[in-house]
Amino acid sequence: AQRVTQPEKLLSVFKGAPVELKCNYSYSGSPELFWYVQYSRQRLQLLLRHISRESIKGFTADLNKGETSFHLKKPFAQEEDSAMYYCALKEGGNYKLTFGKGTLLTVNP
Amino acid sequence: EPEVTQTPSHQVTQMGQEVILRCVPISNHLYFYWYRQILGQKVEFLVSFYNNEISEKSEIFDDQFSVERPDGSNFTLKIRSTKLEDSAMYFCASRGTDYGYTFGSGTRLTVV
């Protein structure tokens, strides 16, 4: 069963528009969720961790346990935000990460 | 900023051959991981390694796979007899005592 679902494979917005990348999870315990970003041909980079409640590059994400969601949001998208975004769930004491399939965000000028 | 280094960046091998993918984790990190991503699919966990032994492995990580930390700095993934379906991007990652993974830039393995 899918534990992390990113329903949108592709998302295209215009520069300056708000963007929301959806992530839903399935986990019986207390979830620990992350967003990773992968710019073209580069490594996976940690963007956000829900526990830290910080804002990186203008992105925020709030854990909603009632809706089992951890959507990533940014009020004004920039062209340099174009990348692949992965939602990930930490499972177990070994810190194994279970990734969603990813959403390719394209920000058009 | 410290980086996880993976070599080679791209490897082409014939089916049935052995391959070794190499990783140099961040020097003070204690936990090491391999993940893979088949083209067009999601990133999947393969194995975690701590204190010189495997701490967890996925069902993908069968007897054809092995990991080793031979000299205290390198962390290697060996595939004994490669199959076409092993073609993927392989990511190494390391973690210190906090939550933060640092991923390498990956090795693209192509089995022909």
Side-chain angles (χ1 to χ4, degrees):
Chain A
Q2 278 212 33
R3 307 197 42 90
V4 180
T5 306
Q6 293 180 250
E8 302 138 329
K9 202 169 177 177
L10 301 168
L11 184 62
S12 184
V13 300
F14 285 103
K15 178 182 168 182
V19 64
E20 181 180 68
L21 295 102
K22 293 186 168 50
C23 172
N24 289 90
Y25 66 90
S26 170
Y27 191 64
S28 56
S30 189
E32 198 168 333
L33 286 140
F34 304 82
W35 276 100
Y36 280 83
V37 60
Q38 187 177 33
Y39 300 102
S40 179
R41 296 196 180 130
Q42 294 186 26
R43 65 193 68 211
L44 286 159
Q45 298 174 39
L46 178 65
L47 184 62
L48 279 179
R49 179 192 184 208
H50 90 268
I51 288 180
S52 60
R53 299 187 65 81
E54 57 195 338
S55 172
I56 304 289
K57 300 185 180 183
F59 285 97
T60 58
D62 287 318
L63 178 63
N64 185 323
K65 290 187 181 179
E67 295 182 358
T68 60
S69 69
F70 187 56
H71 302 328
L72 183 69
K73 299 177 186 178
K74 186 169 182 177
F76 308 104
Q78 303 299 314
E79 288 178 70
E80 55 266 29
D81 296 328
S82 295
M84 194 74 176
Y85 290 81
Y86 294 96
C87 183
L89 169 71
K90 177 210 135 184
E91 294 197 85
N94 292 311
Y95 257 95
K96 178 180 83 171
L97 293 178
T98 297
F99 286 85
K101 291 187 177 181
T103 298
L104 180 62
L105 173 66
T106 303
V107 181
N108 300 298
Chain B
E1 192 175 322
E3 285 190 349
V4 173
T5 306
Q6 287 187 246
T7 54
S9 56
H10 190 190
Q11 175 139 9
V12 181
T13 189
Q14 289 208 324
M15 194 168 55
Q17 294 296 303
E18 175 183 283
V19 292
I20 297 177
L21 309 183
R22 301 180 194 280
C23 170
V24 179
I26 292 174
S27 59
N28 61 349
H29 281 184
L30 303 174
Y31 304 87
F32 312 108
Y33 305 82
W34 283 100
Y35 286 77
R36 80 169 185 192
Q37 185 177 30
I38 294 172
L39 187 64
Q41 298 187 25
K42 64 180 179 179
V43 178
E44 299 174 290
F45 169 78
L46 289 178
V47 66
S48 60
F49 191 86
Y50 170 70
N51 202 24
N52 280 322
E53 59 183 26
I54 290 173
S55 46
E56 187 174 351
K57 59 183 181 179
S58 71
E59 61 274 10
I60 303 167
F61 195 89
D62 62 21
D63 292 345
Q64 293 299 313
F65 290 87
S66 62
V67 289
E68 205 176 34
R69 194 148 189 259
D71 56 12
S73 62
N74 290 286
F75 178 51
T76 61
L77 174 69
K78 184 194 289 186
I79 309 175
R80 235 177 300 281
S81 175
T82 49
K83 304 188 279 284
L84 294 176
E85 53 265 37
D86 293 328
S87 295
M89 194 76 162
Y90 288 81
F91 293 104
C92 173
S94 69
R95 182 173 70 85
T97 51
D98 65 3
Y99 65 89
Y101 268 64
T102 302
F103 281 90
S105 52
T107 293
R108 180 167 298 287
L109 176 65
T110 304
V111 183
V112 296

